[in-house]
Amino acid sequence: MSKNIGNWDKAKREGRKLSFITAYDHPFARMADAAGLDGILIGDSLGMMIGGAPDTLGVSLEQMEYHTAIVAKAVQKALIMADLPFGSFEESPAQAFAASARLMKAGAEIVKLEGGAPMVETVAFLSARAVPVCAHIGLTPQHVRQFGGFKRQGKTPEAAERLIEDAIALAQAGARMVLMEAIPADVAAEITRRVSVPTIGIGAGPGTDAQVLVLHDVLGLNMDRAPGFARTYINGAALMQEALTKYAEDVRASKFPE
Ligand code: KIV
């Protein structure tokens, strides 16, 4: 799939499904790109997946810049999306532009920001200033303390309606993609029908234009429990631990080096 976001709109029109995955470093980004993933997200989930934090709130813009730069060096074909971390964009559209410019200079081709209606003005500001934006709604992990945990969103008819209105307003403000996390499948499908830009789902059912998963969940590297909506394709942690155990045993038994 192309780095040209216009082609993502075309894929939506043609009903072609697209795949995103997170990656935070050079070797995994390279593997994901070679595997044919359409997009790579340098998510602020890096604070949890590689930093061991309980949530994403401690991730800094400097950390996002560093990881975006090392991923960008590895990726030839996939679209590169980077997260604006908590505290780097909410104060004002100008603050959001300054942070986005840093991520774009590091190699991001589109930035993602969390938040619904309160972010409409910021999305319009960024879009008018050459910053492609993906709006992230639903279970926005940066709001975890306000939500009282990582809880599914849009469960009541009113909350579902608010999500639909937010998605439409964000797309009309210029968002090039809408990412929906942990919301009911019928709400995500309805949003996908009602916005002209591609939608990306995670825990939002099969009715979105694209899917995204966290790399560590897919590869079984998340040694804590992966969320129920993720699919783990390999028990990477067990395989790698086995290899490391073997290496340590070989050294102890003087089998390595020979
Ligand atoms: O940071 C992240 O990995 C994300 C995904 C969960 C969509 O935002």
Side-chain angles (χ1 to χ4, degrees):
M1 189 58 192
S2 166
K3 286 176 167 295
N4 176 352
I5 298 172
N7 288 341
W8 287 66
D9 299 336
K10 188 160 174 269
K12 176 181 177 108
R13 287 195 301 275
E14 293 171 356
R16 271 185 290 126
K17 296 272 186 179
L18 303 166
S19 57
F20 253 97
I21 195 146
T22 66
Y24 317 112
D25 64 20
H26 195 277
F28 280 116
R30 204 165 150 188
M31 277 185 247
D33 197 37
L37 271 293
D38 299 302
I40 294 183
L41 168 65
I42 303 101
D44 59 358
S45 54
L46 64 84
M48 300 170 74
M49 294 303 134
I50 62 174
D55 56 43
T56 60
L57 300 182
V59 175
S60 68
L61 184 57
E62 287 70 25
Q63 288 167 341
M64 290 306 303
E65 249 179 319
Y66 171 73
H67 287 278
T68 300
I70 60 178
V71 165
K73 263 194 268 170
V75 174
Q76 308 284 321
K77 293 177 289 195
L79 186 75
I80 301 170
M81 181 186 287
D83 264 342
L84 286 168
F86 181 64
S88 73
F89 65 96
E90 303 87 336
E91 243 172 73
S92 66
Q95 186 207 22
F97 178 78
S100 303
R102 284 175 59 174
L103 293 183
M104 289 179 72
K105 285 176 199 287
E109 290 157 327
I110 178 166
V111 301
K112 176 164 80 59
L113 57 78
E114 295 186 12
M119 284 300 126
V120 167
E121 189 193 344
T122 296
V123 169
F125 188 91
L126 296 179
S127 303
R129 287 164 181 77
V131 181
V133 182
C134 172
H136 181 161
I137 60 171
L139 197 188
T140 42
Q142 291 170 12
H143 297 83
V144 64
R145 294 192 191 157
Q146 206 171 34
F147 291 157
F150 291 93
K151 295 188 174 150
R152 291 187 72 78
Q153 300 295 306
K155 288 191 287 195
T156 64
E158 298 73 35
E161 193 47 45
R162 223 171 17 251
L163 282 173
I164 295 170
E165 282 167 12
D166 284 4
I168 292 171
L170 289 159
Q172 282 174 349
R176 300 300 305 268
M177 298 185 191
V178 176
L179 188 149
M180 302 174 280
E181 179 166 354
I183 68 170
D186 58 337
V187 179
E190 171 77 7
I191 290 172
T192 300
R193 277 191 295 276
R194 291 185 55 183
V195 299
S196 60
V197 297
T199 60
I200 307 169
I202 174 164
T208 56
D209 300 308
Q211 295 290 330
V212 61
L213 280 177
V214 168
L215 178 91
H216 288 54
D217 295 336
V218 172
L219 298 184
L221 301 177
N222 184 357
M223 292 169 81
D224 299 323
R225 201 172 60 86
F229 54 66
R231 184 175 290 176
T232 300
Y233 286 84
I234 180 176
N235 192 342
L239 288 173
M240 288 185 199
Q241 203 169 320
E242 203 180 303
L244 294 170
T245 305
K246 186 85 186 70
Y247 164 59
E249 280 170 4
D250 283 356
V251 171
R252 281 186 213 114
S254 298
K255 290 187 184 162
F256 177 83
E258 286 180 351

